[in-house]
Amino acid sequence: MLHIEGWKRVVIWATCALGLLFALPNGFYGQVESYNDAQEAGQEATGWPSFLPSGLVNLGLDLRGGAHLLGEVKLEEVYTTRLEGFWPEVRNALRDERATIGAIRQQEGGAGELVVRIGNPEQMDRAIEVVQTLARPLASLTGGMTDDIVVSALGNNLIVTLSEAEQLATDDRTMAQSLEIIRRRVDEAGTREPTIQRQGKDRILIQVPGLGSAQELKDLIGVPALLTFQTVVGRSSNPNGATGVGNELLPAADNPDLYYILERTPVVTGEELTDAQPSFDRNGRPAVNFRFNTSGARKFGQYTTDHVGEPFAIVLDDQVISAPVIEVPITGGSGIITGNFDVAESTRLATLLRAGSLPASLEFLEERTVGPELGQDSIDAGKIACLVGFAAVLIFMFLSYGTFGIFANIALLINVGLMFGLLSMIGATLTLPGIAGIVLTIGMAVDANVLVFERIREELKTAKGPARAIELGYEKALSAIVDANITTFLTAAILFIMGAGPVKGFAVTLGLGIITSVFTAIFVTRAMVVIWFERRKPKTLEV
């Protein structure tokens, strides 16, 4: 009996209506995009009814235009920073053995090395033994245990380096942190659907649609924004002046003839900031308010209590942006950064500080600006490909199957609408390969209908009635339709899991296209055929 229950008909048409409703905003792209931008900025949003969905299919870099960067993370800098931070621990451990090993003094070493000169080199073995006790066990790649540091000797010098296992673990942590911080900085700037991916051991691919130039993106993410609060030892006008062991010479940001001698180990770092906001100082000049977490507030409060009347340097990316004198203890965990800022600079600095500092600097190996004209060309080419493919399929189905071909064509139109509805609902990004996936789906979407219609033809040849032929056609074609689409869907899933960037975009549109095409072929066209059959009640059937 050729029949579809009432509730099933409601579900089928309701699903179609819902999908087309979510696809609708893409037909008014610019209008809806302006509406969404106004909403995100907290402004009055007009131009689109608020009761309608406003999700859009995001356009990727190759369609919208934007900035492309490939950056290399300087991982060796992190090794050096780790070992510099390790020095106080080493110094305290060796200090207890000073009667045996003699005086200890930190020396300038190479990258990724902590070098300590021992006063009594005959007792070097004892010094190594003491420092070795500071090592922490670490699981190696082979499954065994190893130490996080390697301690060796060269002449009078004791040398500490990170072990290979620790370097690998540090590399992974640094790359994960860099990816997260870049993502936060890009998100803070309000850009849409960026692509931020690790490539290889130490490279990061960054693609941000909608930005005017690669330089704009570099200005946003390329700054380390390493903020430290350091003790001021002295001032100098000599850029090559002696600093003393454990100190460093850094220039003043607002005076090219002034240099500060600072203790290298910071009192507090920007990692302990919880918030930073642009503001104005008591003289009405742009500044940045900041707030520390509990640990940072305690250290900051203790230091300012113990050093009232002394200058305290605020250092950003190896430049002293200000060195105010501590007038009163600052125990509340908050403060203000002043400097020679304008409003835009203070806003940008606050944004960078909120996002956090990069653990290591980035060297950009490749930069490219994709113009919107190229993206528009791609969109136009994609539209032509879709329209040509669409027209060819529609004509073929109508000529081959007549009335049933019209049903298949209507289902194909609904299928494309559902696909865009799903892409809008999940906030997917459409790239040029994604358009290729849509074109491929259009070509494949009628396969299921062809299978069904051919089965109906075969059943009609065995002299069965039209209703029974239609029913058997759908029943017998169902397993073939499901099997064929499951294998293609699995392929799309593997591409999505294993692929990256454009490959994922292709996999998403292909996978969603398979889901919607199976739905429209099995349910929507059948619903249309049943409704047509109930109204016309034909004695014979031509397919």
Side-chain angles (χ1 to χ4, degrees):
M1 182 67 183
L2 188 61
H3 176 69
I4 298 178
E5 296 171 23
W7 69 270
K8 289 183 180 176
R9 298 187 190 200
V10 171
V11 171
I12 291 169
W13 296 121
T15 303
C16 293
L18 192 64
L20 296 176
L21 185 65
F22 275 94
L24 180 65
N26 295 287
F28 306 88
Y29 204 94
Q31 200 173 328
V32 178
E33 192 174 46
S34 302
Y35 174 85
N36 290 340
D37 288 344
Q39 274 202 323
E40 286 180 12
Q43 301 168 353
E44 185 182 357
T46 58
W48 183 252
S50 58
F51 59 87
L52 290 177
S54 58
L56 290 170
V57 177
N58 298 299
L59 299 181
L61 187 71
D62 50 357
L63 298 181
R64 177 187 286 270
H68 163 106
L69 291 177
L70 179 63
E72 183 179 77
V73 181
K74 296 297 180 185
L75 297 172
E76 297 78 11
E77 293 178 5
V78 182
Y79 305 158
T80 304
T81 304
R82 279 278 312 276
L83 290 169
E84 283 179 357
F86 193 46
W87 161 240
E89 210 173 333
V90 172
R91 180 185 58 200
N92 294 338
L94 292 176
R95 187 179 287 161
D96 296 338
E97 297 289 328
R98 188 171 291 172
T100 304
I101 62 177
I104 55 173
R105 178 166 293 182
Q106 184 183 7
Q107 303 294 306
E108 293 294 337
E113 285 184 346
L114 173 63
V115 181
V116 183
R117 175 157 295 175
I118 304 298
N120 187 2
E122 291 78 17
Q123 296 297 323
M124 181 62 76
D125 290 342
R126 176 57 187 161
I128 291 176
E129 186 182 346
V130 169
V131 175
Q132 195 67 53
T133 61
L134 301 175
R136 293 174 304 164
L138 196 71
S140 67
L141 289 176
T142 58
M145 299 301 291
T146 182
D147 290 336
D148 62 339
I149 58 172
V150 175
V151 186
S152 59
L154 181 63
N156 294 351
N157 293 332
L158 179 146
I159 300 173
V160 183
T161 57
L162 297 180
S163 67
E164 187 177 351
E166 178 61 14
Q167 286 185 6
L168 290 173
T170 301
D171 291 350
D172 286 340
R173 286 196 299 269
T174 303
M175 293 302 292
Q177 189 179 354
S178 299
L179 286 168
E180 178 60 26
I181 289 170
I182 290 172
R183 193 179 307 281
R184 278 194 230 156
R185 290 184 178 184
V186 172
D187 288 345
E188 285 263 1
T191 53
R192 296 186 181 83
E193 295 302 315
T195 299
I196 302 168
Q197 296 171 341
R198 178 175 180 176
Q199 291 203 333
K201 179 191 171 195
D202 56 1
R203 294 182 179 182
I204 295 177
L205 172 70
I206 309 142
Q207 294 180 330
V208 182
L211 277 189
S213 70
Q215 185 59 46
E216 190 179 340
L217 181 57
K218 284 170 66 178
D219 292 341
L220 179 65
I221 64 171
V223 181
L226 182 60
L227 182 72
T228 56
F229 296 80
Q230 295 175 240
T231 302
V232 177
V233 177
R235 292 182 174 84
S236 172
S237 58
N238 182 4
N240 301 313
T243 60
V245 176
N247 299 329
E248 60 183 351
L249 189 70
L250 295 179
D254 55 355
N255 186 346
D257 298 323
L258 178 61
Y259 295 83
Y260 287 89
I261 301 170
L262 309 176
E263 281 190 10
R264 183 170 293 160
T265 304
V267 177
V268 197
T269 69
E271 292 181 358
E272 292 172 291
L273 281 179
T274 58
D275 189 25
Q277 295 292 337
S279 63
F280 295 90
D281 63 12
R282 66 180 73 172
N283 299 314
R285 292 175 303 187
V288 176
N289 275 326
F290 63 85
R291 178 172 293 281
F292 285 118
N293 61 17
T294 305
S295 164
R298 186 175 61 252
K299 286 189 278 187
F300 193 65
Q302 184 62 50
Y303 184 86
T304 54
T305 300
D306 296 341
H307 296 80
V308 172
E310 298 177 14
F312 192 33
I314 302 173
V315 181
L316 180 68
D317 293 338
D318 293 335
Q319 281 194 325
V320 180
I321 56 176
S322 65
V325 174
I326 302 170
E327 297 176 353
V328 293
I330 304 171
T331 56
S334 62
I336 186 168
I337 300 173
T338 58
N340 192 20
F341 303 133
D342 57 26
V343 173
E345 286 172 340
S346 66
T347 303
R348 180 168 162 270
L349 176 59
T351 300
L352 293 174
L353 294 179
R354 277 200 305 275
S357 60
L358 289 170
S361 59
L362 274 172
E363 180 183 352
F364 294 105
L365 307 175
E366 184 180 308
E367 59 181 87
R368 193 165 64 242
T369 301
V370 181
E373 298 82 7
L374 179 59
Q376 189 58 49
D377 290 346
S378 303
I379 293 174
D380 293 341
K383 281 181 180 175
I384 293 172
C386 285
L387 290 175
V388 170
F390 217 79
V393 171
L394 294 181
I395 293 170
F396 172 80
M397 291 301 291
F398 176 68
L399 294 178
S400 299
Y401 300 104
T403 303
F404 279 55
I406 294 175
F407 294 150
N409 290 340
I410 295 172
L412 183 57
L413 291 169
I414 295 174
N415 176 31
V416 175
L418 291 180
M419 211 182 334
F420 273 90
L422 281 174
L423 289 170
S424 303
M425 287 170 70
I426 65 175
T429 299
L430 185 63
T431 60
L432 205 53
I435 291 180
I438 292 175
V439 175
L440 180 60
T441 303
I442 290 172
M444 295 169 55
V446 292
D447 283 358
N449 292 122
V450 170
L451 282 173
V452 172
F453 298 160
E454 290 298 326
R455 282 287 186 181
I456 293 174
R457 277 180 176 172
E458 290 176 8
E459 296 301 328
L460 289 172
K461 289 176 184 173
T462 59
K464 291 190 174 63
R468 184 61 180 159
I470 293 172
E471 191 175 2
L472 288 175
Y474 274 98
E475 281 181 11
K476 293 185 177 179
L478 182 62
S479 61
I481 293 170
V482 172
D483 290 348
N485 283 282
I486 281 179
T487 53
T488 311
F489 186 79
L490 288 176
T491 305
I494 292 169
L495 281 175
F496 181 80
I497 294 169
M498 305 296 291
V503 177
K504 275 195 171 183
F506 175 79
V508 168
T509 52
L510 181 62
L512 293 180
I514 290 168
I515 294 171
T516 55
S517 62
V518 169
F519 171 75
T520 52
I522 294 179
F523 297 104
V524 178
T525 56
R526 183 170 184 173
M528 285 190 284
V529 169
V530 169
I531 292 171
W532 171 79
F533 193 86
E534 288 173 348
R535 289 175 179 270
R536 295 292 182 88
K537 294 185 171 44
K539 301 298 180 187
T540 59
L541 202 61
E542 291 196 10
V543 180

